[in-house]
Amino acid sequence: MSSTKMVDPKVRNVGATEYSWCKAVHGGTGIAVLALLSSKKPDISHFQIALNKLQNSHPILKSKLHSNTTTSNGNFTFLTFQNPFVKIQQHNLSLTSNILGRNKNNDDTVSSFQLILEHELNQNSWHNDLNRSSSHSDDMFVASIYAMPEETWTVVMRLHVAACDRTTAISILREMLVLMKEEERESESEEWKKREIGFAMEDLVDGGKGKKGIWARGIDVLSYSLNSFRLTNLKFCDTKGTRFSQVVRLQLNHNDTKRVLDGCKHNRIKLCGALSAAGLMAAHSSKNSSRKYGIITLTDCRSSLEPPLSINNFGFYHSAILNSHLIKGGEDLWELAKKTYGAFANSKNNNKHFSDMADMNFLMCKAIDNPTLTSSSSLRTSIMSVFEDTVIDDGGKVQREVGVDDYMGCASIHGVGPSIAIFDTIREAKLDCIFVYPAPLHSREQMLDLVNKMKVILIEGGKAYEG
Ligand SMILES: *[C@@H]1O[C@H](CO)[C@@H](O)[C@H](O)[C@H]1NC(C)=O
Ligand SMILES: *[C@@H]1O[C@H](CO)[C@@H](O)[C@H](O)[C@H]1NC(C)=O
Ligand SMILES: *[C@@H]1O[C@H](CO)[C@@H](O)[C@H](O)[C@H]1NC(C)=O
Ligand SMILES: *[C@@H]1O[C@H](CO)[C@@H](O)[C@H](O)[C@H]1NC(C)=O
Ligand SMILES: *[C@@H]1O[C@H](CO)[C@@H](O)[C@H](O)[C@H]1NC(C)=O
Ligand SMILES: *[C@@H]1O[C@H](CO)[C@@H](O)[C@H](O)[C@H]1NC(C)=O
């Protein structure tokens, strides 16, 4: 038997989409955070074992992102190690209190749990001073525990989006809950050491379709031109201050959720259509003339890759579709929802619009390199982003068993991106949406006002589907 020498770490260059995320995360967009509020004190060694198992089954989580800034465009590679290395950062109550005190700003409407989530969204371990040294490596995955007031704990997993799209975040949540229930036993497996990180999305594009396939599928050539930087934005509150990500949450009760979902079913659209429409109507309510707005819809490409990937393939495998919509005022929720969803579905299906010239990566990188192309250097590429598919979570029972009372998952957008990124979940048949926005470009008051308007629009719209 020939002994093949195991190289540690294994090296893989980033793909085009991963590359654009590396650039975006450097500026503050794409820091994914999964935060769990627990009423049971987490057993650190148990948690560490669960993290090790998680990393062993998904090698991208035991990778570091290596950047070599001596190359002009900043070259990025993944270094994947055989052994898991994530160390849990522990914050005692006094450390947590300091963080809460710094972030509170006399705002008692925001829970401590949410303040910790916001704090983590703004911890950018991937923001290196490009002049510091010619090359450095940073972990793709960071875990922390915060002791919280009132005998609760927040467990946080923070990841670079190139390693973790929303599908991966949901899988991590589900796998962690199972691992936390399991017995404490660390099993050594040689097989784990041989597991490799997955391919970049571009390398899984069907040869026959050529590069044009997956990329162009959803590309509406017109909307991807730089004209999209001229689409209407929300009013900017402060364009000068250093940006950071903040969060507002929208929750609907069981009955209102059911009516909205019935409305979607009746109109043969996905929930993202209703959310986009409600968002556009709320944003436009203060305007008295027609405006054109951009909506980005993120769609999971796993099933259309060659070979197709499953949710167990961790990484970033979404592509983005930008559609623009003219809003005049006085629209009906469901008519507009059909229009916005239809535009997206059409872009996704319409192979005639194939083009290899421009895509969202291009648009994102263009804005990063030339902020002044965007209105007030806001780096906003659209008013709102939504996911094509809602996360359905009926796992409340398992969550309660391990002591998880609540959780929130989302990613930062204060570098480049939309004004509002919506992360929606139907949790135990109730709609639970997290809205991430860049502050102080937008203020919490502005966002609360917008989200409350959306809530009223959705509840009122749902009334047509009562009973
Ligand atoms: C960084 O890139 C330069 C130019 O390609 C190369 O000479 C150098 O070896 C690289 N450094 C590392 C640490 O990869
Ligand atoms: C990054 O570096 C690797 C290895 O040095 C090289 O093969 C690759 O072409 C470089 N990529 C870019 C975008 O410069
Ligand atoms: C909390 O942790 C900090 C830093 O590790 C330490 O200096 C401090 O003494 C700790 N406080 C308490 C109350 O344990
Ligand atoms: C890095 O160096 C360049 C040129 O020497 C300089 O213009 C830039 O401000 C520096 N950036 C930082 C973050 O120090
Ligand atoms: C939901 O609807 C049911 C049946 O129509 C009603 O009994 C219940 O009170 C409603 N709950 C809420 C929170 O409105
Ligand atoms: C819109 O409202 C502004 C003030 O709120 C007013 O100055 C302007 O004339 C209005 N425009 C139209 C088209 O009604």
Side-chain angles (χ1 to χ4, degrees):
M1 240 173 80
S2 70
S3 67
T4 48
K5 214 164 68 195
M6 255 186 240
V7 189
D8 191 35
K10 284 185 183 134
V11 180
R12 150 153 111 61
N13 285 330
V14 299
T17 302
E18 290 161 345
Y19 174 76
S20 63
W21 280 114
C22 292
K23 287 191 72 166
V25 171
H26 181 265
T29 287
I31 301 162
V33 176
L34 194 56
L36 289 78
L37 181 66
S38 175
S39 52
K40 269 190 206 157
K41 186 169 195 222
D43 177 330
I44 302 287
S45 69
H46 195 174
F47 183 44
Q48 181 73 58
I49 289 170
L51 285 174
N52 291 355
K53 285 184 183 167
L54 187 70
Q55 288 180 88
N56 277 328
S57 25
H58 305 285
I60 197 162
L61 303 181
K62 49 179 180 179
S63 301
K64 290 174 189 275
L65 183 67
H66 176 81
S67 59
N68 183 347
T69 51
T70 53
T71 51
S72 59
N73 59 359
N75 197 340
F76 296 97
T77 44
F78 291 125
L79 306 180
T80 306
F81 295 83
Q82 279 176 22
N83 296 316
F85 53 77
V86 167
K87 288 273 171 296
I88 301 162
Q89 299 176 1
Q90 296 189 54
H91 301 78
N92 59 27
L93 192 53
S94 69
L95 282 173
T96 306
S97 303
N98 284 342
I99 293 167
L100 294 176
R102 275 205 304 278
N103 291 280
K104 206 155 182 117
N105 295 326
N106 300 322
D107 195 343
D108 287 327
T109 60
V110 184
S111 70
S112 302
F113 175 53
Q114 187 176 322
L115 286 174
I116 292 297
L117 171 83
E118 291 182 350
H119 170 73
E120 282 277 338
L121 284 172
N122 296 293
Q123 297 304 298
N124 193 351
S125 40
W126 303 283
H127 178 87
N128 289 294
D129 179 354
L130 291 174
N131 295 356
R132 191 183 71 194
S133 65
S134 63
S135 89
H136 35 72
S137 311
D138 299 287
D139 300 358
M140 297 299 280
F141 183 27
V142 181
S144 312
I145 293 182
Y146 294 82
M148 304 284 285
E150 291 160 18
E151 288 287 298
T152 55
W153 289 266
T154 297
V155 173
V156 179
M157 287 168 274
R158 171 160 38 91
L159 299 105
H160 190 293
V161 159
C164 178
D165 59 10
R166 195 170 64 148
T167 306
T168 294
I170 300 305
S171 296
I172 289 179
L173 175 71
R174 295 197 172 133
E175 288 187 27
M176 274 311 283
L177 291 172
V178 170
L179 289 169
M180 281 159 87
K181 272 186 75 178
E182 270 179 9
E183 277 175 58
E184 297 182 37
R185 183 163 23 84
E186 183 138 41
S187 43
E188 270 294 322
S189 161
E190 282 304 304
E191 191 259 335
W192 274 339
K193 297 193 171 171
K194 295 198 198 98
R195 272 196 200 175
E196 296 191 32
I197 95 171
F199 289 105
M201 183 156 56
E202 292 76 11
D203 295 332
L204 299 173
V205 169
D206 176 16
K209 281 187 256 169
K211 284 222 179 297
K212 289 182 181 173
I214 190 79
W215 287 122
R217 176 157 298 186
I219 294 174
D220 176 342
V221 177
L222 286 177
S223 40
Y224 276 76
S225 72
L226 296 178
N227 281 333
S228 50
F229 291 139
R230 296 196 201 105
L231 294 167
T232 310
N233 291 295
L234 283 185
K235 185 172 151 279
F236 298 142
C237 299
D238 176 350
T239 57
K240 299 280 185 303
T242 306
R243 293 195 194 133
F244 52 97
S245 286
Q246 281 191 329
V247 163
V248 165
R249 198 171 188 180
L250 179 157
Q251 290 170 305
L252 290 189
N253 69 30
H254 180 271
N255 291 357
D256 290 331
T257 301
K258 183 170 183 311
R259 290 188 203 113
V260 171
L261 294 179
D262 285 347
C264 291
K265 205 191 244 169
H266 185 266
N267 289 288
R268 296 196 180 82
I269 60 170
K270 293 188 178 179
L271 180 62
C272 63
L275 292 175
S276 310
L280 289 175
M281 287 164 70
H284 193 76
S285 62
S286 56
K287 308 244 170 22
N288 57 6
S289 57
S290 298
R291 298 290 175 95
K292 212 169 200 184
Y293 299 89
I295 301 259
I296 288 174
T297 308
L298 291 148
T299 177
D300 191 338
C301 297
R302 281 177 177 73
S303 61
S304 15
L305 295 172
E306 194 57 51
L309 300 182
S310 79
I311 57 169
N312 293 320
N313 294 103
F314 284 18
F316 190 92
Y317 297 103
H318 274 67
S319 76
I321 292 172
L322 174 66
N323 294 111
S324 60
H325 302 284
L326 186 71
I327 306 296
K328 300 194 175 91
E331 277 83 1
D332 168 75
L333 173 69
W334 297 107
E335 286 309 314
L336 185 58
K338 277 193 279 187
K339 238 157 84 182
T340 56
Y341 182 73
F344 158 72
N346 192 43
S347 297
K348 193 180 167 189
N349 294 330
N350 195 347
N351 295 343
K352 282 192 199 117
H353 286 224
F354 275 4
S355 154
D356 53 6
M357 67 171 224
D359 59 27
M360 276 314 289
N361 300 332
F362 166 79
L363 194 62
M364 201 157 83
C365 290
K366 198 83 189 160
I368 294 170
D369 293 337
N370 310 279
T372 52
L373 285 179
T374 62
S375 158
S376 308
S377 296
S378 61
L379 287 169
R380 294 310 103 191
T381 50
S382 70
I383 193 163
M384 206 179 305
S385 72
V386 294
F387 286 91
E388 176 185 4
D389 291 305
T390 304
V391 174
I392 310 285
D393 178 10
D394 295 319
K397 187 165 165 281
V398 179
Q399 289 157 23
R400 282 184 294 274
E401 275 168 22
V402 297
V404 173
D405 295 337
D406 193 7
Y407 71 87
M408 293 170 93
C410 56
S412 67
I413 59 158
H414 56 276
V416 64
S419 278
I420 314 158
I422 304 184
F423 297 82
D424 57 325
T425 318
I426 306 284
R427 207 184 293 186
E428 310 266 273
K430 293 193 281 272
L431 179 65
D432 187 357
C433 290
I434 296 170
F435 292 72
V436 185
Y437 60 92
L441 188 66
H442 300 299
S443 68
R444 206 182 297 271
E445 296 69 39
Q446 182 187 17
M447 281 298 148
L448 281 170
D449 179 55
L450 184 102
V451 166
N452 283 332
K453 280 183 181 146
M454 276 183 74
K455 187 170 178 174
V456 171
I457 291 167
L458 287 169
I459 291 174
E460 289 301 313
K463 285 188 178 154
Y465 299 94
E466 194 145 21

